[in-house]
């Protein structure tokens, strides 16, 4: 015990030894107990762990302030060690494909997030970050504000994110048009009852204009986009490619094939069809015809030109899709909302996202899949992130602290 | 109508005036004359490139930030701006010369190997976060590229025993700003991901590499703070951190781990 209370500080040599030891213990533990079920640490255990962790840091910091171990944990060498350990494990994650498949998973390298050594690394990171935040928080000085925003903010975001992970409800619900439902399913297909009901009024989707393609028979890379960087080929657009002058004469966004031609008709199974005329400048010949991208009901149509080349129309890409939904909550309050990709609907701690639809039916899908997320710890994470954002802005508008300053604070 | 077909005209215009500006720095002109030429030519080269980006943006009707070629466009705009600001602030001729050289390389890649597949903006990318996320990242990459140039220069000078300690100061100030932008880019990405996919962090391969890049520069900042005298280690750290950054930016398209990433631009 005497040793630990000596004032001589631990440097990078001690830091390296401790970090490597920590990692090795994690590896051994991984070998002994290969499966960890972190996802079972839900509320109230998550809250208990959070309180114990914070208590342990605060009490040991103030109670054992002069202990060498505590001083070391609040020092830059410990920070460098924990950043390095986390960095090395992240590097491994960057090269080794991560799967949830349990087989052929020696020491958890294909599922690093759920290994003992990764948990040790992140806890080590949180401990050093926690101590160093406390060191500058108490006593509070305005000149430390940038440091506190960056360090304490990061600590709060990572801590709440990790502790709160098990408490996240992430489910999806498949809604049929005009039917009401409140049973969603999680990733393991377990049914979960929602505290509100959802009724899909309408699913709607907008498409981008399809792109004419030039297909050549000889080349292995067969497709060439003619319309590079023209998202909306207007009528009368003219393109030149490989000696061909291609003109879009007419563009129908919802077309059906009737009596040997395409006509505009917005119905289930309609497709996009362009009337194009092609002039071959080398052979001085003209071609005119319809190209279309087809659908469940319609055959795709192509136009053959010189040298066995054909002009086809690409499949249309989704521009926008959304669901019109009636939500009834437990208080019987009714709300009609539109939920779109990137525009979730928020209701207290619940967020509802547009997730999927019946891709076979595309625009005419009568099914919409919504993702529903409930994250009670999110507010803490966001407070942490907001602090780090302010801290970054602080970094931009101030000059770095001099080294004299750093030595002073190390003493 | 401004498309990639018109890019070479703008690019060569920028490249020529930039070369004039750099040449002027090293020619025996009078000081005022030299300054005038440098400032006019560097800023007009940047302006020409900016004009192209603005016209191109209006023409394609979406932010040009979707393909790798388009991100290179921003990079070759922002690096000379960083170099120019450092020239104005620190009178560093060579920082500006190198950053313009780097920009020219990226412009030439776009001229000779343009990645001009038409990428429509899928719904997940239609977000108010799209532009700030990419611009902030590109600005970080530009600052950190210049820090890498300085680190390499420092390592060479160390070898020839001509090291100037000011290099350390400049490198650190660049990384400080670069790291701030890197953090903003990462967090804007997280906030966007929450809006689009319901989670702020999903360990997507690009996220893993972005985290790694961030940790590498975080390590550098802490190391320079605690071990200011270890010059060589610092410079090596900077050079290596930039390699991680490059893998994160485009090397990721070739990694086995990244085939399912939402950030791959090549499919």
């Amino acid at each position: 015990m005497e040793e630990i209370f000596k004032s001589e500080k631990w440097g990078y040599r001690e830091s390296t030894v401790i970090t490597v030891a920590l990692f090795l213990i994690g590896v051994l533990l991984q070998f002994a107990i290969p499966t960890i079920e972190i996802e079972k640490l839900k509320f109230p255990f998550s809250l208990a762990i959070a309180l114990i962790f914070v208590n342990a840091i605060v009490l040991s910091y103030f109670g054992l302030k002069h202990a060498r171990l505590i001083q070391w944990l609040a020092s830059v060498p410990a920070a460098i060690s924990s950043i390095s350990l986390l960095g090395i494990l992240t590097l491994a994650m960057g090269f080794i494909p991560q799967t949830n498949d349990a087989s052929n998973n020696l020491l958890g390298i294909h599922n690093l997030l759920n290994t003992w050594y990764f948990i040790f690394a992140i806890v080590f990171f949180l401990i050093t970050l926690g101590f160093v935040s406390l060191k500058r928080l108490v006593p509070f000085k305005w000149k430390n504000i940038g440091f506190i925003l960056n360090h304490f903010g990061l600590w709060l975001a990572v801590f709440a994110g990790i502790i709160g992970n098990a408490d996240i409800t992430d489910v999806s619900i498949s809604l049929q048009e005009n039917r009401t439902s409140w049973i969603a399913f999680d990733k393991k297909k377990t049914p979960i009852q929602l505290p509100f009901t959802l009724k899909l009024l309408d699913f709607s989707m907008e498409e981008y204009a399809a792109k004419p393609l030039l297909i050549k028979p000889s080349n292995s890379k067969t497709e060439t986009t003619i319309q590079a960087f023209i998202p909306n080929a207007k009528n009368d657009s003219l393109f030149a490619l490989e000696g061909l002058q291609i003109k879009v004469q007419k563009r129908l966004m919802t077309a059906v094939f009737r009596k040997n031609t395409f006509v505009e008709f917005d119905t289930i199974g309609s497709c996009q069809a362009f009337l194009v005329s092609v002039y071959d400048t080398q052979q001085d010949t003209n071609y005119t015809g319809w190209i279309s991208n087809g659908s469940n009901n319609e055959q795709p149509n192509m136009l053959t030109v010189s040298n066995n080349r054909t002009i086809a129309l690409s499949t249309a890409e989704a521009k926008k899709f959304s669901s019109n939904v009636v939500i009834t909550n437990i208080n019987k309050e009714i709300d009609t909302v539109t939920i779109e990709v990137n525009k979730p609907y928020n209701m207290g701690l619940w967020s509802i996202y547009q997730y999927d639809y019946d891709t076979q039916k595309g625009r005419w899908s009568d099914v919409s899949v919504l993702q529903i997320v409930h994250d009670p710890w999110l507010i803490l994470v966001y407070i942490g992130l907001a602090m780090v954002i302010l801290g970054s802005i602080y970094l931009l508008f101030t000059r770095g602290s001099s080294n004299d300053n750093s030595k002073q604070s190390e003493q | 109508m401004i498309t990639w077909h018109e890019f070479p005209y703008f690019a060569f215009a920028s490249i020529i005036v930039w070369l004039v500006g750099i040449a002027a720095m090293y020619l025996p002109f009078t000081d005022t004359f030299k300054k005038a030429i440098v400032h006019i030519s560097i800023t007009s080269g940047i302006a020409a490139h900016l004009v192209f980006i603005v016209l191109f943006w209006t023409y394609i009707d979406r932010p040009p930030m979707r393909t790798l070629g388009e991100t290179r466009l921003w990079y070759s705009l922002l690096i000379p701006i960083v170099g120019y600001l450092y020239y104005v602030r620190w009178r560093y001729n060579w920082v500006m010369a190198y950053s313009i050289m780097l920009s020219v390389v990226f412009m030439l890649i776009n001229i000779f190997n343009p990645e001009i597949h038409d990428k429509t903006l899928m719904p997940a990318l239609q977000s108010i976060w799209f532009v700030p996320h990419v611009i902030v990242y590109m600005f970080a990459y530009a600052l950190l590229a210049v820090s890498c140039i300085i680190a390499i220069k420092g390592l060479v000078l160390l070898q020839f025993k001509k090291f100037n300690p000011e290099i350390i100061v400049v490198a650190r100030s660049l990384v400080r700003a670069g790291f701030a932008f890197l953090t903003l880019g990462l967090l804007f990405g997280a906030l966007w991901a929450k809006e689009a996919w319901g989670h702020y962090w999903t360990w997507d391969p690009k996220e893993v590499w972005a985290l790694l890049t961030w940790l590498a520069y975080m390590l550098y900042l802490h190391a320079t703070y605690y071990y200011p005298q270890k010059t060589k280690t610092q410079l090596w750290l900077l050079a290596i951190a930039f390699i991680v950054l490059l893998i994160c930016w485009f090397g990721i398209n070739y990694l086995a781990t990244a085939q399912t990433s939402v950030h791959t631009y090549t499919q």
Side-chain angles (χ1 to χ4, degrees):
Chain A
M1 273 317 257
E2 268 306 277
E3 279 287 293
I4 297 176
F5 289 91
K6 267 191 186 172
S7 63
E8 197 188 316
K9 282 191 296 187
W10 288 348
Y12 70 94
R13 197 165 303 156
E14 290 86 349
S15 303
T16 313
V17 172
I18 296 173
T19 311
V20 170
L22 190 72
F23 173 70
L24 290 179
I25 294 170
V27 171
L28 283 177
L29 208 54
Q30 185 64 32
F31 190 70
I33 312 166
T35 45
I36 318 167
E37 293 181 320
I38 313 174
E39 66 275 9
K40 289 206 172 145
L41 295 175
K42 287 181 192 295
F43 183 85
F45 298 104
S46 54
L47 184 63
I49 292 170
L51 292 176
I52 291 168
F53 191 90
V54 172
N55 251 315
I57 285 196
V58 173
L59 290 180
S60 57
Y61 182 75
F62 290 108
L64 301 164
K65 206 171 183 173
H66 302 289
R68 213 189 258 176
L69 178 69
I70 304 299
Q71 287 211 333
W72 173 73
L73 281 170
S75 73
V76 182
I80 291 177
S81 306
S82 69
I83 297 168
S84 305
L85 181 58
L86 204 57
I88 289 164
L89 294 178
T90 311
L91 184 68
M93 216 184 299
F95 282 114
I96 304 166
Q98 300 293 301
T99 55
N100 288 320
D101 187 12
S103 62
N104 194 17
N105 192 8
L106 183 68
L107 290 173
I109 58 162
H110 289 297
N111 193 4
L112 277 165
L113 289 174
N114 277 310
T115 60
W116 287 102
Y117 45 93
F118 191 85
I119 293 169
F120 280 13
I122 203 90
V123 170
F124 180 29
F125 186 78
L126 284 174
I127 290 173
T128 58
L129 201 51
F131 276 128
V132 89
S133 302
L134 266 183
K135 192 160 138 184
R136 295 282 180 110
L137 262 172
V138 187
F140 181 79
K141 285 180 195 146
W142 272 107
K143 74 176 174 90
N144 286 337
I145 190 71
F147 186 98
I148 293 167
L149 286 171
N150 278 315
H151 290 77
F152 182 65
L154 180 63
W155 179 85
L156 185 62
V158 176
F159 180 72
I162 286 172
I163 296 277
N165 193 46
D167 287 330
I168 293 176
T169 309
D170 178 1
V171 294
S172 62
I173 185 166
S174 180
L175 296 173
Q176 280 278 346
E177 258 172 33
N178 293 318
R179 293 227 191 114
T180 304
S181 178
W182 55 92
I183 304 294
F185 293 87
D186 68 8
K187 298 257 150 55
K188 288 176 184 162
K189 306 270 180 254
T190 318
I192 309 246
Q193 190 172 333
L194 300 172
F196 48 84
T197 68
L198 297 164
K199 180 179 170 189
L200 178 66
L201 295 181
D202 184 38
F203 172 79
S204 56
M205 178 171 175
E206 269 176 56
E207 281 177 351
Y208 282 109
K211 288 170 289 240
L213 309 164
L214 178 68
I215 301 176
K216 292 185 284 183
S218 53
N219 205 329
S220 62
K221 231 184 165 182
T222 49
E223 294 190 354
T224 312
T225 309
I226 292 169
Q227 249 181 293
F229 283 95
I230 301 162
N232 273 304
K234 313 283 189 310
N235 287 351
D236 292 330
S237 309
L238 188 69
F239 316 102
L241 194 90
E242 303 205 0
L244 301 173
Q245 285 181 357
I246 302 156
K247 191 175 179 188
V248 177
Q249 299 206 324
K250 211 179 210 180
R251 195 187 72 179
L252 305 179
M253 293 296 283
T254 48
V256 290
F257 194 69
R258 293 284 183 277
K259 294 176 187 160
N260 291 323
T261 188
F262 281 94
V263 289
E264 182 90 57
F265 186 33
D266 193 358
T267 182
I268 291 179
S270 64
C271 60
Q272 292 190 32
F274 294 13
L275 180 63
V276 291
S277 63
V278 180
Y279 173 60
D280 188 329
T281 50
Q282 282 151 11
Q283 301 184 358
D284 193 23
T285 38
N286 276 299
Y287 307 89
T288 302
W290 285 96
I291 54 173
S292 89
N293 55 7
S295 69
N296 283 352
N297 293 4
E298 305 286 339
Q299 292 283 332
N301 221 41
M302 285 179 263
L303 178 65
T304 307
V305 294
S306 54
N307 300 334
N308 278 333
R309 293 176 294 181
T310 42
I311 313 258
L313 196 60
S314 73
T315 44
E317 289 170 81
K319 186 179 184 179
K320 201 173 177 178
F321 51 98
S322 60
S323 300
N324 207 358
V325 180
V326 180
I327 301 172
T328 312
N329 68 13
I330 23 173
N331 303 326
K332 297 269 184 316
E333 281 158 350
I334 299 170
D335 211 349
T336 307
V337 296
T338 305
I339 299 167
E340 199 182 313
V341 180
N342 262 316
K343 285 172 193 150
Y345 176 71
N346 297 309
M347 189 172 41
L349 294 171
W350 294 87
S351 302
I352 308 176
Y353 300 82
Q354 177 66 55
Y355 186 63
D356 207 355
Y357 54 95
D358 183 346
T359 46
Q360 289 280 309
K361 290 187 182 166
R363 271 193 295 159
W364 299 280
S365 171
D366 48 5
V367 172
S368 177
V369 184
L370 301 180
Q371 183 190 12
I372 299 162
V373 178
H374 179 254
D375 184 355
W377 296 75
L378 185 67
I379 186 73
L380 289 179
V381 176
Y382 273 11
I383 292 171
L385 294 187
M387 289 176 78
V388 178
I389 287 174
L390 291 175
S392 300
I393 294 168
Y394 176 90
L395 275 186
L396 284 176
F397 289 103
T398 52
R399 305 191 58 186
S401 54
S402 68
N403 288 310
D404 307 335
N405 196 3
S406 80
K407 270 173 200 143
Q408 206 180 340
S409 64
E410 286 301 321
Q411 278 161 11
Chain B
M1 101 176 178
I2 296 295
T3 66
W4 278 113
H5 295 291
E6 283 72 32
F7 177 62
Y9 304 117
F10 284 87
F12 283 121
S14 296
I15 292 171
I16 288 164
V17 289
W18 281 341
L19 292 182
V20 169
I22 292 173
M25 291 195 301
Y26 296 98
L27 287 174
F29 295 141
T30 62
D31 235 28
T32 12
F33 184 61
K34 190 186 276 189
K35 257 191 209 162
I37 297 225
V38 171
H39 285 292
I40 291 170
S41 54
I42 301 298
T43 48
S44 54
I46 293 170
H49 192 45
L50 184 65
V51 167
F52 172 78
I53 293 181
V54 171
L55 294 177
F56 183 52
W57 186 332
T58 32
Y59 179 65
I60 62 172
D61 216 14
R62 65 169 172 81
M65 301 174 180
R66 176 78 178 87
T67 65
L68 266 182
E70 288 164 8
T71 60
R72 282 197 293 259
L73 213 50
W74 289 97
Y75 204 59
S76 44
L77 172 73
L78 294 171
I79 289 197
I81 292 178
V82 174
Y84 180 68
L85 292 177
Y86 267 75
Y87 170 79
V88 173
R89 171 72 182 77
W90 298 84
R91 302 254 118 233
Y92 270 160
N93 290 351
W94 59 275
V95 172
M96 188 162 77
Y98 280 123
S99 57
I100 281 176
M101 212 174 69
L102 209 61
S103 166
V104 169
V105 168
F106 280 93
M107 282 185 162
L108 292 178
I109 295 176
N110 267 353
I111 290 173
F112 294 112
N113 182 25
E115 282 179 58
I116 55 172
H117 346 284
D118 179 8
K119 287 278 187 186
T120 40
L121 225 47
M122 55 192 217
L125 286 182
Q126 298 165 21
S127 163
I128 50 156
W129 292 107
F130 185 33
V131 175
H133 174 65
V134 177
I135 290 277
V136 160
Y137 253 121
M138 284 300 126
F139 210 75
Y141 286 7
L143 286 161
L144 297 170
V146 179
S147 82
C148 177
I149 293 170
I150 291 178
I152 292 168
K153 172 113 179 175
L155 285 169
V156 173
L157 289 178
L158 268 180
Q159 204 65 37
F160 293 105
K161 313 249 183 277
K162 286 181 186 164
F163 189 72
N164 176 1
E166 207 183 25
I167 280 186
I168 290 292
V169 179
V170 181
R172 194 170 198 276
S173 82
L174 274 165
V175 177
R176 207 175 138 86
F179 183 75
F181 279 110
L182 209 55
T183 311
L184 291 176
L186 192 74
L187 298 189
F188 289 175
L191 294 172
W192 178 9
K194 178 70 190 164
E195 290 289 286
W197 291 290
H199 284 288
Y200 45 84
W201 193 264
T202 50
W203 297 98
D204 175 271
K206 187 82 167 191
E207 287 173 6
V208 170
W209 281 93
L211 173 65
L212 198 57
T213 310
W214 192 63
L215 288 174
Y217 284 103
M218 187 193 272
L219 188 68
Y220 164 84
L221 285 175
H222 285 81
T224 50
Y225 181 80
Y226 196 73
Y227 304 110
Q229 71 287 1
K230 295 202 169 181
T231 315
K232 206 170 178 179
T233 319
Q234 285 181 26
L235 297 175
W236 273 112
L237 256 177
L238 265 191
I240 293 166
F242 195 67
I243 294 174
V244 176
L245 186 154
L246 289 180
I247 295 177
C248 177
W249 186 12
F250 42 73
I252 192 152
N253 291 330
Y254 307 101
L255 288 177
T257 44
Q259 296 317 309
T260 53
S261 173
V262 295
H263 281 94
T264 45
Y265 314 104
T266 47
Q267 289 147 12

